[in-house]
Amino acid sequence: MGNFRPTPPCDLETGPLKARPPPPPSPYFHPPAPQSWFSWLVPLIFAANIAMFVYTMYYNDCPAHGNKDDCIFHKYLGRFSFQPFKENALLGPSSNTLVKLGGLEKKLVVEGGEGWRLLSCMWLHVGVVHLAANMLSLLFIGIRLEQEFGFVRIGVLYLLAGFGGSLLSALHAKSTVSVGASGALFGLLGAMLSELLTNWTIYANKCAALFSLVIVIAINLAVGFLPGVDNSAHIGGFISGFLIGFILLIRPQFGYVSRRYIPPGYEIKRKPKHKCYQYLYGITSLVLLILG
């Protein structure tokens, strides 16, 4: 017998029925996952703080300004040796050196008109212990934020939060000199909290994220109440960063789809890019910053 092919079904009016094509795939309306920014500004800030501390110790030159036998590790470090423990228990330079290089002192800012010290003090540190604690916090917090929001927003946030911390420190300053990047670092913590609140809809474990962040902030603020620590710079930086975060770190709400990701010919009902409370947070924070 020859090959037998079944006859396709036939309609008396239209002829043989043709096979239906497969249905088109459902349109893809979701934007691609955002790519992380390459973090280079935070490592640069890290390197600048290290370099500034090395120069501070070079300028300090403990053996040349006193009894070299009192300088810590003078046999190994030479002019980079630290001041005696009775002057600086954190392994660092003298207070006079910090003032000369830009440390924050209320009298010089208010009466001397040296307002530049509100920014220069952010790049100085009392000692190795102070520097190590701040730089570890900077790498732990700053790199993640820069990868998510880019160097422009994080750079502006870092400088403005540090300025806010220095400003409140100058208003409540004692007779001692105030230095350190703590105000800017607390600003990053405050911005993380405001970012969580303003972008609430995109977080899956909202309460867990909020609780863990509040615990970290509370612990860091509690350290500021120890003797010899200027907590006013911490509070000022935190408040500044908290308000700035509502303005700079706003994200589109969950479910928002940009029109450029919708295929041609499809019309769907899109959500607005931001919720009303996000705009309210941003406007209120901007007003408070201007008034402050």
Side-chain angles (χ1 to χ4, degrees):
M1 298 178 62
N3 295 333
F4 174 75
R5 292 184 179 180
T7 305
C10 180
D11 187 276
L12 296 178
E13 296 181 356
T14 61
L17 297 179
K18 296 182 179 180
R20 294 182 179 179
S26 59
Y28 180 72
F29 295 128
H30 300 284
Q35 296 182 352
S36 297
W37 292 72
F38 175 75
S39 177
W40 62 268
L41 180 62
V42 170
L44 182 62
I45 295 174
F46 173 87
N49 279 275
I50 299 295
M52 192 62 199
F53 184 75
V54 173
Y55 175 75
T56 301
M57 296 308 304
Y58 175 84
Y59 182 87
N60 184 69
D61 195 4
C62 178
H65 297 90
N67 186 359
K68 65 178 183 179
D69 292 331
D70 293 335
C71 300
I72 302 175
F73 303 134
H74 75 278
K75 293 183 180 181
Y76 307 100
L77 300 179
R79 67 181 298 155
F80 292 94
S81 58
F82 308 115
Q83 292 296 121
F85 278 118
K86 62 182 179 180
E87 295 183 30
N88 190 336
L90 299 179
L91 299 177
S94 65
S95 58
N96 290 332
T97 297
L98 294 174
V99 172
K100 291 178 181 179
L101 293 181
L104 180 61
E105 197 173 45
K106 182 176 181 180
K107 183 178 180 180
L108 295 176
V109 173
V110 177
E111 299 179 8
E114 299 179 359
W116 52 270
R117 292 180 179 271
L118 295 171
L119 292 176
S120 63
C121 68
M122 297 167 48
W123 308 95
L124 300 172
H125 288 83
V126 177
V128 174
V129 178
H130 186 206
L131 177 68
N134 279 350
M135 293 302 99
L136 288 175
S137 300
L138 173 66
L139 294 178
F140 180 74
I141 301 172
I143 288 182
R144 186 185 73 82
L145 286 175
E146 186 180 358
Q147 288 175 340
E148 292 187 15
F149 297 99
F151 67 92
V152 174
R153 287 189 276 185
I154 299 306
V156 172
L157 172 62
Y158 184 87
L159 292 177
L160 292 182
F163 177 80
S166 300
L167 190 60
L168 191 60
S169 178
L171 293 174
H172 297 84
K174 303 177 182 178
S175 58
T176 57
V177 61
S178 177
V179 295
S182 301
L185 296 176
F186 271 83
L188 296 181
L189 279 175
M192 289 177 67
L193 179 59
S194 59
E195 189 272 331
L196 175 61
L197 295 177
T198 192
N199 302 319
W200 188 256
T201 59
I202 69 173
Y203 282 88
N205 300 322
K206 300 177 175 62
C207 294
L210 179 61
F211 179 76
S212 59
L213 183 57
V214 169
I215 293 297
V216 172
I217 293 172
I219 293 175
N220 282 272
L221 287 176
V223 174
F225 290 99
L226 296 176
V229 180
D230 184 13
N231 206 31
S232 58
H234 299 172
I235 297 175
F238 179 83
I239 294 175
S240 300
F242 180 71
L243 295 176
I244 297 170
F246 285 118
I247 303 172
L248 295 182
L249 305 187
I250 185 173
R251 303 182 196 229
Q253 67 162 314
F254 179 78
Y256 166 77
V257 181
S258 176
R259 185 172 294 277
R260 68 174 180 269
Y261 297 115
I262 300 177
Y266 289 94
E267 292 293 335
I268 64 171
K269 185 178 180 181
R270 298 189 305 145
K271 289 185 177 181
K273 187 173 184 179
H274 301 293
K275 284 184 171 292
C276 294
Y277 74 84
Q278 291 179 301
Y279 291 111
L280 180 61
Y281 282 159
I283 295 173
T284 304
S285 299
L286 181 61
V287 172
L288 291 176
L289 283 172
I290 294 175
L291 295 178

